[in-house]
């Protein structure tokens, strides 16, 4: 290795090529490629193949577990005791436990009425439920509207409290933690949190609280968002786990992991759905994905030793949390999607000495795609577009994952996902009020750069390659360029 950089060795390379500068550089590059580039790329490829196998194994395991549970598993009401609450002739509504409903908000102009209304319409005795609106809004006009909405429901007999604080320390986790300090909150046995875009059905509490009330080991009962999960916490479990912490941007995951390490059990009810809103513009979706990718990686960094030292759970559970829950699903899954398909494959087009196994480029990716698509069979016709879009987003998620792992500058960045409420009304309004876009807000330079690199690799592969990677590379390059130009989402800025 040292010989490569000695003057004598370099002079040997130039024998017969003293007057041919391109030839000299070609010789130097050839030796550097053989001694450095090819070994490095081959090692990097093997690392990615290992990550791909880890992800594939985890997905197959999860599919087997979910399928087995659906076919042979017992329904929640058969696994846990469930008895609906009924009014007692003597005790009246006191047989119902006292429930706190927290609704954190931040400048939610479009959805505050929907979320407060949904919380106040929950089917539960009015004297056994407390609605707490935690308003961190910085816009005085919006704060006034939210307060008036709370007063309106209070005039109808709803026990609702409008709470504000003089700072946004800890963001949502800080607001939730502050809300639990009030005396009326401390009296509640259970607490449910609905984000500002949540619209639960009136029977949400009647379908969840009985599980907690009759099964003392349950700390959390989760329903399903139309796109995610929502749940009800036992206040004792929340307190024992240490309450809300603002050390990461995934405060709910942080609390859930800490509670599970205390021995509390969780129940997921997939049939119980809660309506909520998906991000409808690319900018909001990217901020959300940054938070959801960076936060778990940062939490893994901060909890790894805490989990290893825990003595209240089995070794198997600790391994499951560290390896399956965190490392594979929250780190490997984000990284390998980008590094393998957007770095290694294009690199091997330019460095054909490194050959990727067919099973890693065709068979396993196809199986993984089909397993993912099986969960939403009605959208199967979109699977190609979904794969291309997810690979583009993998760039953003990979960057966010490393930011979280190394706790870089944006590790604790919290940008509230913009919500639109009535999409049809917003579409009409934005046609008249949307300002002209700024080039820096629409053009994504990193996505464009990757897109053009992939496009160049595709052209090279078409001309000189032998593995036909150009079919995939052209499609993926177009996807990166389209997103890089801002043409994604249901609202495209006017030009």
């Amino acid at each position: 290795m040292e010989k490569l950089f000695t003057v004598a060795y370099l002079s040997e390379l130039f024998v017969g090529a003293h007057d041919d500068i391109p030839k000299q550089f070609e010789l130097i590059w050839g030796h550097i490629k053989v001694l450095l580039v090819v070994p490095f790329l081959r090692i990097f490829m093997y690392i990615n193949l290992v990550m791909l196998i880890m992800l594939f194994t985890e997905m197959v395991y999860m599919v087997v577990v979910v399928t087995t549970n659906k076919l042979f598993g017992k329904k929640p009401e058969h696994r846990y005791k469930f008895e609906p609450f009924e009014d007692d002739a003597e005790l009246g509504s006191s047989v119902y436990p006292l429930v706190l409903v927290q609704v954190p908000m931040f400048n939610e102009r479009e959805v505050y009425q929907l979320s407060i209304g949904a919380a106040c319409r929950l089917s539960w005795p009015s004297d056994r439920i407390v609605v707490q609106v935690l308003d961190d809004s910085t816009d005085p006009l919006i704060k006034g509207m939210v307060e008036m909405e709370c007063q309106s429901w209070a005039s109808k007999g709803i026990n609702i409290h409008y709470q504000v604080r003089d700072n946004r320390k800890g963001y949502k986790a800080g607001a939730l933690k502050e809300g639990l300090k009030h005396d009326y909150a401390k009296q509640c046995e259970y607490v449910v949190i609905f984000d500002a875009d949540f619209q639960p059905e009136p029977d949400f509490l009647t379908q969840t609280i009985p599980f907690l009330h009759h099964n003392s080991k349950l700390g959390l009962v989760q329903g399903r968002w139309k796109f995610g999960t929502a749940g009800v916490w036992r206040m004792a479990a929340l307190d024992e786990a240490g309450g809300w912490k603002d050390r990461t941007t995934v405060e709910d995951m942080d609390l859930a992991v800490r509670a599970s390490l205390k021995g509390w059990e969780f129940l997921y009810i997939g049939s119980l759905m809660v309506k909520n809103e998906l991000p409808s513009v690319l900018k909001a979706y990217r901020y959300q994905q940054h938070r959801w990718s960076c936060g778990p990686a940062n939490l893994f960094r901060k909890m790894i030793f805490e989990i290893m030292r825990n003595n209240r759970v089995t070794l198997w559970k600790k391994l499951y949390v560290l390896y399956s829950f965190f490392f594979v699903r929250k780190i490997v899954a984000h990284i390998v999607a980008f590094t393998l398909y957007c770095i290694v494959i294009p690199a091997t087009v330019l460095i054909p000495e490194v050959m990727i196994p067919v099973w890693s480029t065709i068979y396993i990716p196809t199986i993984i795609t089909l397993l993912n698509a099986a969960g939403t069979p009605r959208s199967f016709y979109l699977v190609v577009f979904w794969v291309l879009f997810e690979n583009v987003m993998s760039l953003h998620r990979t960057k966010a994952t490393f930011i979280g792992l190394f706790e870089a500058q944006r590790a604790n960045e919290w940008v509230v996902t913009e919500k639109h409420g009535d999409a049809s009304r917003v579409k009409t309004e934005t046609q008249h009020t949307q300002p002209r876009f700024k080039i820096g807000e629409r053009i994504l330079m990193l996505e464009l750069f990757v897109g053009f690199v992939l496009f160049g690799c595709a052209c090279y592969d078409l001309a000189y390659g032998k593995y036909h990677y150009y079919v995939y590379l052209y499609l993926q390059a177009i996807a990166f360029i389209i997103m890089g130009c801002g043409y994604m989402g249901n609202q495209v800025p006017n030009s």
Side-chain angles (χ1 to χ4, degrees):
M1 181 68 72
E2 295 179 357
K3 185 180 180 182
L4 176 65
F5 301 103
T6 64
V7 176
Y9 185 65
L10 288 175
S11 64
E12 293 177 8
L13 293 179
F14 297 152
V15 173
H18 290 294
D19 299 326
D20 190 347
I21 300 300
K23 184 67 174 179
Q24 294 175 6
F25 281 108
E26 182 180 348
L27 289 171
I28 294 174
W29 164 244
H31 283 76
I32 292 176
K33 184 172 71 170
V34 170
L35 295 175
L36 294 177
V37 178
V38 171
F40 174 80
L41 181 57
R42 187 171 283 120
I43 292 172
F44 189 55
M45 179 193 69
Y46 288 142
I47 292 173
N48 277 268
L49 295 183
V50 170
M51 290 194 295
L52 181 64
I53 293 173
M54 293 168 63
L55 178 61
F56 175 71
T57 305
E58 180 69 16
M59 288 200 66
V60 172
Y61 167 75
M62 290 300 298
V63 168
V64 171
V65 170
V66 172
T67 303
T68 302
N69 186 59
K70 284 187 175 181
L71 293 177
F72 308 106
K74 295 182 180 180
K75 294 182 178 180
E77 55 269 24
H78 296 154
R79 291 160 48 205
Y80 295 94
K81 184 178 180 181
F82 181 91
E83 293 181 2
F85 292 100
E86 297 180 358
D87 287 333
D88 186 273
E90 296 182 358
L91 301 177
S93 62
S94 62
V95 296
Y96 291 80
L98 193 58
V99 178
L100 174 68
V101 179
Q102 291 185 307
V103 185
M105 291 192 170
F106 177 73
N107 294 336
E108 310 291 357
R109 178 192 296 270
E110 304 296 341
V111 297
Y112 75 93
Q113 289 180 311
L114 295 175
S115 56
I116 293 176
C120 292
R121 294 189 185 95
L122 290 170
S123 298
W124 204 254
S126 59
D127 61 330
R128 307 301 295 171
I129 184 172
V130 182
V131 177
Q132 186 185 64
V133 178
L134 304 168
D135 190 10
D136 272 0
S137 299
T138 54
D139 188 325
L141 179 61
I142 297 178
K143 292 182 73 170
M145 293 190 296
V146 174
E147 184 174 13
M148 288 181 61
E149 184 69 14
C150 293
Q151 292 174 352
S152 175
W153 281 102
S155 66
K156 300 175 184 177
I158 301 297
N159 187 1
I160 185 170
H161 295 260
Y162 175 73
Q163 307 289 169
V164 296
R165 51 188 186 141
D166 56 6
N167 62 77
R168 290 192 66 213
K169 182 181 179 181
Y171 302 106
K172 187 172 79 171
L176 295 172
K177 183 177 181 179
E178 192 70 23
L180 295 178
K181 294 180 180 180
H182 297 279
D183 291 336
Y184 64 83
K186 295 178 181 178
Q187 299 173 11
C188 296
E189 191 173 350
Y190 306 106
V191 56
V192 54
I193 301 95
F194 292 126
D195 284 345
D197 60 325
F198 280 24
Q199 298 174 45
E201 295 296 328
D203 64 349
F204 181 85
L205 295 181
T206 60
Q207 293 191 54
T208 54
I209 297 295
F211 282 111
L212 288 165
H213 192 72
H214 297 294
N215 301 274
S216 59
K217 293 184 179 180
L218 284 178
L220 170 70
V221 174
Q222 286 187 313
R224 176 186 176 187
W225 303 354
K226 292 294 180 69
F227 319 102
T229 54
V232 184
W233 277 97
R234 183 188 301 274
M235 197 73 80
L238 193 153
D239 291 337
E240 186 180 356
W244 295 104
K245 293 186 178 181
D246 57 7
R247 57 182 176 174
T248 70
T249 56
V250 283
E251 72 293 325
D252 48 356
M253 182 184 295
D254 186 354
L255 177 60
V257 172
R258 285 185 281 114
S260 68
L261 294 176
K262 294 292 184 180
W264 289 98
E265 297 179 5
F266 302 152
L267 173 62
Y268 174 71
I269 308 176
S271 58
L272 180 59
M273 297 187 179
V274 179
K275 182 180 178 181
N276 73 307
E277 182 181 322
L278 281 174
S280 56
V281 293
L282 178 60
K283 182 179 179 180
Y285 184 71
R286 290 176 82 247
Y287 276 127
Q288 182 193 71
Q289 293 302 302
H290 173 86
R291 189 169 72 244
W292 288 0
S293 302
C294 176
N298 192 229
L299 182 61
F300 174 69
R301 168 195 171 99
K302 292 181 175 179
M303 290 201 69
I304 182 170
F305 295 111
E306 180 181 342
I307 295 171
M308 292 172 63
R309 291 194 298 263
N310 187 280
N311 295 320
R312 299 190 59 174
V313 296
T314 63
L315 177 62
W316 169 252
K317 186 169 184 177
K318 287 191 282 188
L319 289 174
Y320 170 79
V321 173
L322 287 174
Y323 175 78
S324 294
F325 181 78
F326 274 118
F327 188 65
V328 178
R329 300 184 206 171
K330 309 302 180 185
I331 297 175
V332 168
H334 296 324
I335 294 174
V336 73
F338 177 71
T339 56
L340 179 57
Y341 301 109
C342 298
I343 295 181
V344 174
I345 290 180
T348 57
V349 169
L350 305 177
I351 312 293
E353 291 87 346
V354 179
M355 186 176 65
I356 308 176
V358 176
W359 57 263
S360 67
T361 58
I362 297 178
Y363 302 133
I364 285 186
T366 300
I367 295 173
I368 290 177
T369 300
L370 292 176
L371 291 177
N372 278 315
T376 55
R378 291 184 300 176
S379 302
F380 188 79
Y381 66 99
L382 296 172
V383 67
V384 174
F385 300 98
W386 174 78
V387 169
L388 295 175
F389 175 76
E390 284 295 296
N391 282 352
V392 175
M393 286 305 302
S394 70
L395 166 63
H396 195 62
R397 295 188 183 113
T398 299
K399 182 175 66 173
T401 299
F402 281 114
I403 288 174
L405 281 175
F406 296 102
E407 203 161 21
Q409 187 174 2
R410 295 181 60 199
N412 294 310
E413 179 184 67
W414 184 287
V415 179
V416 177
T417 303
E418 183 181 358
K419 304 173 184 68
H420 289 157
D422 189 340
S424 60
R425 176 173 60 85
V426 172
K427 183 177 181 180
T428 302
E429 290 179 353
T430 53
Q431 289 176 349
H432 301 287
T433 62
Q434 193 174 54
R436 294 179 63 86
F437 75 93
K438 296 180 180 179
I439 190 72
E441 295 180 356
R442 174 169 172 176
I443 300 299
L444 305 174
M445 296 305 297
L446 188 56
E447 280 82 351
L448 277 179
F449 173 77
V450 174
F452 285 123
V453 170
L454 292 178
F455 189 84
C457 291
C459 293
Y460 185 89
D461 188 56
L462 179 61
Y464 304 105
K466 58 181 179 179
Y467 300 115
H468 304 292
Y469 290 150
Y470 64 85
V471 176
Y472 157 74
L473 292 174
Y474 273 129
L475 291 174
Q476 194 62 70
I478 293 172
F480 267 99
I481 292 171
I482 289 175
M483 184 173 289
C485 293
Y487 289 101
M488 188 68 65
N490 69 359
Q491 296 179 45
V492 179
N494 296 324
S495 58

